[in-house]
Amino acid sequence: MSNVIVIGGGAAGMMASYAAGLCGHSVTLYEKNEKLGKKIYITGKGRCNFTNAVPVDEFLKHVVSNEKFLYSALYTLDSDGVIAFMEQWGTPTKVERGNRAFPVSDHASDITKALKSGMDAYGVNVVLNTGVKEIITKEGRACGVILETGKKDFADAVILATGGLSYPTTGSTGDGLRFAKALNLKVTETYPALVPFETKEQDILSLQGLALKNVSVKVFDEKKTYFEDFGEMLFTHFGVSGPLVLSASSKVTALLSKKPLILSIDLKPALSYDKLDEKLKRMISEHPKKKVGFVLCDMLPKKLAEVLEARLGIFEEKNLSDLTREERQSIVDGLKAFSLTLTKTRGFKEAIITQGGISVKEINPSTMEAKNVHGLYVCGEVLDVDAFTGGFNLQIAFSTGYLAGISIN
Ligand SMILES: Cc1cc2nc3c(=O)[nH]c(=O)nc-3n(C[C@H](O)[C@H](O)[C@H](O)COP(=O)(O)OP(=O)(O)OC[C@H]3O[C@@H](n4cnc5c(N)ncnc54)[C@H](O)[C@@H]3O)c2cc1C
């Protein structure tokens, strides 16, 4: 039996402390907040989409960074395992559209409750309101921590589960990244991901609150397309957000920190250029005396039609029957490629996940132990791993936490 210290009481730290307790170790968890799982409370809009119920090979397709590193962790505790865990510790679960799993109660707090029940059953000692300042090592081995109070606590193993940099108000302020650097572990560049974008164009600010369903979005520069997908997006008071935009951010956040990119929205993805042109021609012959705004209002939400009409300003006063072929073509272009210039993301304050973190090259993927600091185990968002939305990120925190906990000997 070993004495184990866990730093951080989020999803990863709680699961790690449960797993270490399950293996018979004596576990103390330090959490700097006044309660466990502060971030869990705000996940899934307060409902906590705690995993995605798909087999591991399918799961891995939704991982953005370093999916191979996660093989062992995910095969050791997969989504079925996490669902069974929640049920075992008193939280009934349900699976919704897109295989997203939630507590039946729709209360994120029930996920934290289940984790706490598991931890209690194995005697995990939880110490709240207590931040860790430093990890103590001796001869290349982690052997304890120094608390913010200055007090030292020694142990046989230390599990680092301090999270990343996103939503710092929940406690994830990057402490673990600093601890890692102090121990000479490589930390890759960090970026906010699953995060909304600000745009250069001001005309879309009037569209604030407008959600578009069934649109196709592409993000590109002069060289390459970095993201393309179909789904839902949202206009906001600063730019764009919504599921498609958040996913896009995971693919372009690093690049966008260096230069602006173009986001182009196909407002009519079900119609090819030619089909859309034919539809326009038909409308023109049926309503020759109407203006361009009439056509746009027929095809788009009114506010968006107004913005596009203003962008196509030159035709505002023309009757449909007076449009030239080129002018008609530019309307089709506007509908197929409504373009915005992305200037930056909304930053870590509004990011669901951190991209980058402790390099996976520093960590043994079969145990989560740091290769060069024995007795130090690392799990959760502090690692350089991230995935799309849908319950994947919490599952990664649970799987890596569990593997760390059971790997201590
Ligand atoms: C708004 C929002 C919604 C989300 N929704 C979902 C969702 O529905 N599904 C999903 O899969 N993922 C979701 N995520 C992502 C998910 O919450 C994270 O991936 C996950 O919580 C990471 O867990 P973690 O334990 O690694 O880190 P965290 O949850 O950040 O936990 C780290 C803990 O360590 C503590 N800590 C930090 N430093 C110290 C220190 N020095 N000493 C002591 N304690 C310390 C912190 O206070 C914190 O409690 C969401 C994220 C956000 C921000």
Side-chain angles (χ1 to χ4, degrees):
M1 190 188 85
S2 297
N3 285 320
V4 178
I5 288 174
V6 178
I7 314 173
M14 285 193 278
M15 185 57 93
S17 61
Y18 160 80
L22 179 72
C23 295
H25 302 302
S26 169
V27 185
T28 298
L29 182 155
Y30 288 110
E31 167 54 57
K32 69 178 173 185
N33 288 330
E34 69 294 352
K35 62 180 177 190
L36 292 170
K38 208 163 177 179
K39 187 172 275 175
I40 291 180
Y41 284 89
I42 57 165
T43 57
K45 301 202 169 91
R47 299 203 301 135
C48 189
N49 172 202
F50 68 93
T51 187
N52 195 282
V54 286
V56 174
D57 53 348
E58 178 60 30
F59 188 103
L60 289 165
K61 293 180 192 156
H62 299 262
V63 177
V64 179
S65 313
N66 295 313
E67 78 274 12
K68 285 198 182 114
F69 172 79
L70 293 168
Y71 275 24
S72 291
L74 288 168
Y75 277 109
T76 304
L77 181 73
D78 62 7
S79 59
D80 283 349
V82 170
I83 290 171
F85 173 94
M86 296 302 165
E87 301 272 344
Q88 180 188 353
W89 297 105
T91 294
T93 63
K94 60 181 173 181
V95 175
E96 295 189 356
R97 186 174 55 94
N99 307 306
R100 292 164 189 244
F102 295 87
V104 167
S105 64
D106 285 330
H107 290 140
S109 55
D110 284 339
I111 295 301
T112 305
K113 271 189 203 149
L115 288 157
K116 182 69 170 53
S117 300
M119 289 155 67
D120 286 347
Y122 293 102
V124 173
N125 174 30
V126 175
V127 186
L128 298 174
N129 295 307
T130 307
V132 167
K133 197 164 67 178
E134 202 180 314
I135 296 173
I136 309 171
T137 56
K138 196 174 170 204
E139 291 159 7
R141 243 203 108 78
C143 59
V145 295
I146 304 177
L147 304 177
E148 290 289 355
T149 56
K151 190 179 158 240
K152 290 182 180 167
D153 190 6
F154 292 95
D156 305 303
V158 174
I159 301 180
L160 180 61
T162 46
L165 290 159
S166 54
Y167 269 70
T169 46
T170 62
S172 41
T173 51
D175 293 359
L177 303 174
R178 286 190 286 278
F179 299 160
K181 282 181 191 160
L183 296 174
N184 288 324
L185 299 185
K186 185 171 178 258
V187 174
T188 63
E189 198 72 47
T190 50
Y191 301 95
L194 297 179
V195 64
F197 293 121
E198 293 186 13
T199 56
K200 188 172 101 187
E201 292 75 12
Q202 300 292 302
D203 59 351
I204 59 154
L205 301 188
S206 64
L207 302 178
Q208 172 181 173
L210 175 70
L212 297 179
K213 287 190 176 154
N214 305 323
V215 290
S216 190
V217 155
K218 195 159 86 170
V219 181
F220 58 94
D221 62 11
E222 62 288 347
K223 286 199 209 112
K224 204 173 144 186
T225 295
Y226 301 96
F227 176 86
E228 194 165 7
D229 207 353
F230 172 86
E232 282 181 49
M233 62 163 289
L234 176 72
F235 291 99
T236 67
H237 63 284
F238 51 77
V240 283
S241 186
L244 267 180
V245 168
L246 297 185
S247 295
S249 74
S250 286
K251 289 290 188 187
V252 303
T253 181
L255 193 59
L256 188 61
S257 70
K258 296 187 188 78
K259 60 172 196 173
L261 295 168
I262 302 300
L263 179 143
S264 163
I265 310 166
D266 182 346
L267 297 164
K268 291 284 153 201
L271 296 176
S272 67
Y273 268 82
D274 289 347
K275 284 263 155 41
L276 195 54
D277 195 34
E278 263 159 38
K279 185 173 165 147
L280 261 181
K281 277 195 227 159
R282 235 179 6 255
M283 289 181 87
I284 290 168
S285 68
E286 284 165 15
H287 308 279
K289 298 277 173 258
K290 299 270 189 190
K291 307 272 187 249
V292 169
F294 169 82
V295 174
L296 297 176
C297 281
D298 186 72
M299 292 201 232
L300 298 174
K302 185 163 180 295
K303 275 188 176 172
L304 180 56
E306 283 166 7
V307 171
L308 184 53
E309 186 182 359
R311 285 192 179 192
L312 300 168
I314 46 167
F315 316 128
E316 252 168 69
E317 293 312 315
K318 273 196 175 181
N319 286 338
L320 289 178
S321 56
D322 297 331
L323 291 180
T324 63
R325 190 173 169 278
E326 286 71 32
E327 287 168 340
R328 201 184 65 231
Q329 198 60 54
S330 68
I331 299 174
V332 176
D333 287 344
L335 287 163
K336 292 297 282 177
F338 183 81
S339 289
L340 302 168
T341 315
L342 306 178
T343 50
K344 57 178 177 170
T345 73
R346 292 288 281 176
F348 285 112
K349 256 192 355 261
E350 294 182 32
I352 286 176
I353 196 85
T354 308
Q355 197 163 84
I358 297 178
S359 170
V360 296
K361 294 195 184 115
E362 299 281 1
I363 310 295
N364 179 342
S366 310
T367 60
M368 296 293 133
E369 188 177 20
K371 289 176 186 166
N372 295 322
V373 186
H374 293 295
L376 176 68
Y377 296 77
V378 185
C379 53
E381 196 175 327
V382 73
L383 287 165
D384 178 12
V385 287
D386 63 285
F388 290 125
T389 56
F392 301 100
N393 286 301
L394 277 169
Q395 175 69 45
I396 290 171
F398 292 137
S399 296
T400 53
Y402 185 82
L403 184 55
I406 62 164
S407 299
I408 291 166
N409 43 44

